[in-house]
Amino acid sequence: MTTIAVLGNGRVGGNLATALTRAGHEVTVADRTPGAATHAARTAQIVINATPGAGSLDRLTALRDELRDKILIDVSNATFDGPDGLPADLIYPGSSLAEQLQEALPETHVVKTLNTMLFPVMTAPATLTQAPTAFLSGEDPQAKQTVTELLAELGWQEDWIADLGGIQTARATEAAILFVPHVIRSSGFTPFAISIAR
């Protein structure tokens, strides 16, 4: 059993918290209540960033001490929203939220994953008609191995997980969010994921 803090109690955070609790972990969900994120991060072994990406950097930088030497799983995408509320452009073009987090939190092991799919797929990948891909970006091999083990508990088969390399590779997966509004407008909120076919 691992102690996990999920920062963000929206659809993404709630979905992940429910699934990880079901897998046998001790999960705390931090909402926007003052002090909630600080307490949750301090007592956790692994922290998941499921906060809206536009404000993630400021929120997490404020938790530098609590996140020291811990794994931070970043599932968010930092975007400017269009008039319809869907992602319209990247906040960090030429970079990524994950890179910004790793630079701001050098003593934290940032791993980017699960950000190239609609949220129901994160915890139920086998429900799609084709195998999805969960990408990993991060500097620390052991941290990525730990995240891979967590993904397996969420139903991700080994050959569905692709380690892209260092944290800089997250700029590619974060840019994939620009597909999302067009797919949603054309086919609705039907669950989907980016997949590498071989």
Side-chain angles (χ1 to χ4, degrees):
M1 181 184 73
T2 303
T3 305
I4 300 172
V6 178
L7 307 184
N9 63 343
R11 293 177 298 180
V12 174
N15 184 45
L16 286 168
T18 298
L20 290 167
T21 299
R22 191 181 302 125
H25 299 287
E26 181 181 330
V27 180
T28 301
V29 179
D31 56 20
R32 290 177 181 265
T33 304
T38 301
H39 175 73
R42 182 182 297 126
T43 57
Q45 297 165 286
I46 295 174
V47 177
I48 298 175
N49 175 38
T51 65
S56 289
L57 185 58
D58 288 341
R59 289 189 193 98
L60 292 165
T61 301
L63 300 174
R64 181 182 285 106
D65 290 342
E66 289 78 15
L67 293 171
R68 183 175 290 117
D69 297 324
K70 296 181 180 179
I71 296 173
L72 174 63
I73 303 175
D74 179 32
V75 303
S76 294
N77 289 301
T79 61
F80 297 109
D81 290 341
D84 57 1
L86 295 176
D89 209 350
L90 302 174
I91 291 177
Y92 304 110
S95 183
S96 64
L97 172 59
E99 289 174 86
Q100 298 295 314
L101 289 170
Q102 188 61 86
E103 183 177 353
L105 303 165
E107 297 176 281
T108 301
H109 308 299
V110 179
V111 179
K112 188 81 182 191
T113 193
L114 295 179
N115 63 307
T116 55
M117 61 201 70
L118 283 189
F119 76 93
V121 181
M122 295 178 176
T123 58
T127 58
L128 297 183
T129 57
Q130 297 169 237
T133 304
F135 301 98
L136 294 177
S137 300
E139 297 299 323
D140 186 85
Q142 185 54 54
K144 287 192 283 188
Q145 179 57 38
T146 299
V147 174
T148 297
E149 292 166 6
L150 276 183
L151 291 177
E153 294 181 33
L154 296 177
W156 289 87
Q157 297 182 22
E158 184 178 355
D159 59 348
W160 298 355
I161 301 171
D163 185 345
L164 298 181
I167 200 67
Q168 188 176 18
T169 64
R171 66 181 63 177
T173 59
E174 288 191 28
I177 190 66
L178 299 180
F179 276 103
V180 172
H182 308 297
V183 174
I184 289 173
R185 291 186 193 110
S186 66
S187 56
F189 281 90
T190 305
F192 71 90
I194 302 295
S195 178
I196 300 298
R198 291 188 172 91

